[in-house]
């Protein structure tokens, strides 16, 4: 009997050690799990790329904005070949930089839209380290520059937010409703908290998921969108999106006031413009009253 108990005890000890070793391995090998455990928002939410790809074939101007004493961000304004029919203030997802979003920008420009894109701090040529507060400051500064560059235009303005940029787009629209004619969200985050719960579902990570207030919830799309009045809204959400589930887009849509439209697609995460460019252009034309 004692021998059996001893064997069982050794087995449990070995299993415990295996679990510990596996946990340490996962922690050390996966930077995002490490960021979750350490509540490191910079590594958890942002995937910047410094290297710039060629944007050959696109007509654009580049500008450098000073956000804070030590932070300078780069912005890009892409122009169509003919007169623009509307201006788009584009807020991309948390990965890459503007140059890597060329496939998202080109369909818009090719169909007559002027597109303004910002590389937040830490992205592309912009210096600094991205964080929840900082990227909002960068967005607000870029929008002021966008307004300055378009102040003499008679065409409409669309704020277009994708994924993480969706939260920023909602907050920006909420705070600048007079200046904005339409809001488009594609795979937009419902909140920082929802991003964590949707993308870290393993049972052993549950204890490390914080409460909503611990994720700097200064801006929350599903909450802030309720304060946007009279601005047409197009909520795009894929039923195959693995990063942002369909229900998140529906939650944002349900919280929004009229006028609003929901477009359910079957593409990957924020791949609407690359896989459904013609349909997207038609819906953008519709939301600003063009045929």
């Amino acid at each position: 009997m004692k021998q059996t108990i001893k064997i069982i005890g050794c087995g449990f000890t070995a299993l415990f050690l295996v679990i510990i070793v596996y946990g340490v391995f996962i922690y050390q090998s996966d930077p995002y799990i490490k960021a979750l455990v350490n509540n490191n928002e910079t590594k958890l939410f942002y995937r910047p790329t410094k290297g710039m790809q060629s944007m050959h074939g696109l007509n654009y101007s580049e500008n450098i904005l000073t956000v804070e004493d030590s932070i300078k961000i780069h912005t890009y304004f892409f122009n169509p070949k003919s007169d623009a029919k509307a201006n788009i203030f584009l807020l991309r997802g948390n990965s890459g930089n503007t140059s890597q979003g060329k496939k998202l920008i080109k369909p818009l420009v090719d169909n007559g839209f002027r597109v303004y894109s910002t590389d937040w701090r830490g992205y592309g040529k912009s210096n600094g380290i991205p964080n929840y507060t900082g990227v909002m400051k960068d967005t607000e500064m870029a929008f002021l520059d966008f307004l300055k560059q378009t102040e003499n235009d008679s065409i409409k303005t669309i704020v277009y937010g994708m994924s993480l940029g969706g939260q920023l787009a909602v907050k920006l629209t909420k705070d600048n409703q007079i200046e904005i004619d339409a809001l488009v969200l594609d795979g937009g985050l419902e909140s920082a908290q929802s991003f964590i719960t949707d993308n870290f579902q393993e049972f052993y990570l549950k204890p490390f998921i914080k409460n909503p207030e611990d994720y700097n919830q200064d801006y929350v799309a599903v909450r802030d969108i309720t304060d946007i009045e009279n601005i047409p809204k197009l909520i795009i959400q894929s039923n195959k999106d693995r990063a942002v589930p369909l229900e998140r887009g529906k939650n944002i849509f349900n919280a929004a006031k009229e006028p609003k439209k929901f477009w359910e697609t079957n593409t990957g995460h924020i791949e609407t413009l690359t896989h459904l460019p013609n349909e997207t252009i038609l819906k953008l034309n519709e939301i600003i009253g063009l045929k």
Side-chain angles (χ1 to χ4, degrees):
M1 184 67 177
K2 290 183 179 180
Q3 184 68 20
T4 302
I5 293 174
K6 185 176 180 180
I7 292 173
I8 293 174
C10 289
F12 276 115
T13 300
L15 178 62
F16 178 74
L17 290 174
V18 168
I19 292 173
I20 293 296
V21 171
Y22 177 74
V24 171
F25 170 76
I26 292 296
Y27 174 81
Q28 294 294 344
S29 61
D30 191 321
Y32 304 125
I33 289 180
K34 182 182 286 190
L36 176 68
V37 172
N38 295 324
N39 196 22
N40 182 343
E41 70 170 53
T42 293
K43 295 293 184 181
L44 195 56
F45 293 105
Y46 307 102
R47 317 280 193 268
T49 299
K50 298 301 294 181
M52 298 292 289
Q53 297 180 358
S54 171
M55 293 191 284
H56 178 74
L58 290 173
N59 176 23
Y60 67 93
S61 58
E62 182 177 350
N63 197 13
I64 302 174
L65 306 178
T66 300
V67 181
E68 298 166 349
D69 289 343
S70 60
I71 302 295
K72 296 183 184 300
I73 61 171
H74 288 244
T75 67
Y76 304 85
F77 216 159
F78 299 87
N79 297 292
K81 293 181 179 179
S82 58
D83 291 341
K85 60 185 178 184
N87 291 314
I88 292 180
F89 188 84
L90 182 65
L91 292 162
R92 300 175 350 272
N94 67 346
S95 299
N97 57 50
T98 291
S99 69
Q100 294 176 321
K102 179 179 178 179
K103 63 182 180 180
L104 304 174
I105 295 169
K106 194 172 187 304
L108 297 171
V109 174
D110 286 348
N111 284 277
F113 293 97
R114 294 176 72 204
V115 179
Y116 186 108
S117 179
T118 306
D119 274 341
W120 301 305
R121 60 189 68 194
Y123 286 74
K125 300 177 184 178
S126 303
N127 69 335
I129 298 173
N131 57 64
Y132 204 72
T133 303
V135 297
M136 191 71 239
K137 287 182 180 178
D138 298 343
T139 299
E140 291 168 339
M141 181 64 72
F143 190 67
L144 290 175
D145 179 60
F146 167 82
L147 291 178
K148 182 179 179 180
Q149 293 198 50
T150 60
E151 61 184 348
N152 295 321
D153 291 354
S154 58
I155 55 179
K156 293 184 176 181
T157 290
I158 301 171
V159 171
Y160 197 135
M162 301 177 178
S163 193
L164 181 138
Q167 278 216 111
L168 298 161
V170 172
K171 178 65 164 60
L172 190 71
T173 303
K174 171 188 171 183
D175 293 343
N176 298 274
Q177 299 190 44
I178 296 176
E179 309 290 349
I180 295 168
D181 299 294
L183 171 64
V184 177
L185 302 178
D186 186 353
L189 298 191
E190 177 182 311
S191 66
Q193 170 75 11
S194 70
F195 175 81
I196 299 301
T197 56
D198 291 339
N199 290 278
F200 294 90
Q201 298 184 354
E202 294 83 354
F203 74 92
Y204 54 84
L205 295 177
K206 298 299 182 182
F208 300 105
I209 296 178
K210 312 298 182 183
N211 295 320
E213 60 269 18
D214 294 319
Y215 289 109
N216 293 322
Q217 296 276 278
D218 297 328
Y219 46 97
V220 180
V222 73
R223 179 194 68 203
D224 294 341
I225 202 165
T226 62
D227 294 325
I228 300 175
E229 306 278 353
N230 302 320
I231 294 176
K233 306 160 199 73
L234 173 62
I235 312 300
I236 307 169
Q237 187 64 54
S238 173
N239 53 35
K240 294 183 179 179
D241 194 328
R242 294 183 178 181
V244 180
L246 179 65
E247 65 181 280
R248 300 300 184 186
K250 288 185 175 180
N251 289 343
I252 294 173
F253 175 77
N254 290 334
K257 292 183 173 71
E258 295 285 356
K260 60 182 181 178
K261 290 191 176 181
F262 189 82
W263 180 22
E264 182 177 335
T265 66
N266 58 2
T267 66
H269 183 54
I270 60 171
E271 292 182 347
T272 315
L273 276 167
T274 52
H275 292 287
L276 300 170
N278 295 333
E279 295 90 335
T280 304
I281 297 303
L282 286 174
K283 290 186 180 296
L284 292 180
N285 289 342
E286 181 182 355
I287 202 173
I288 56 174
L290 296 177
K291 295 182 179 181

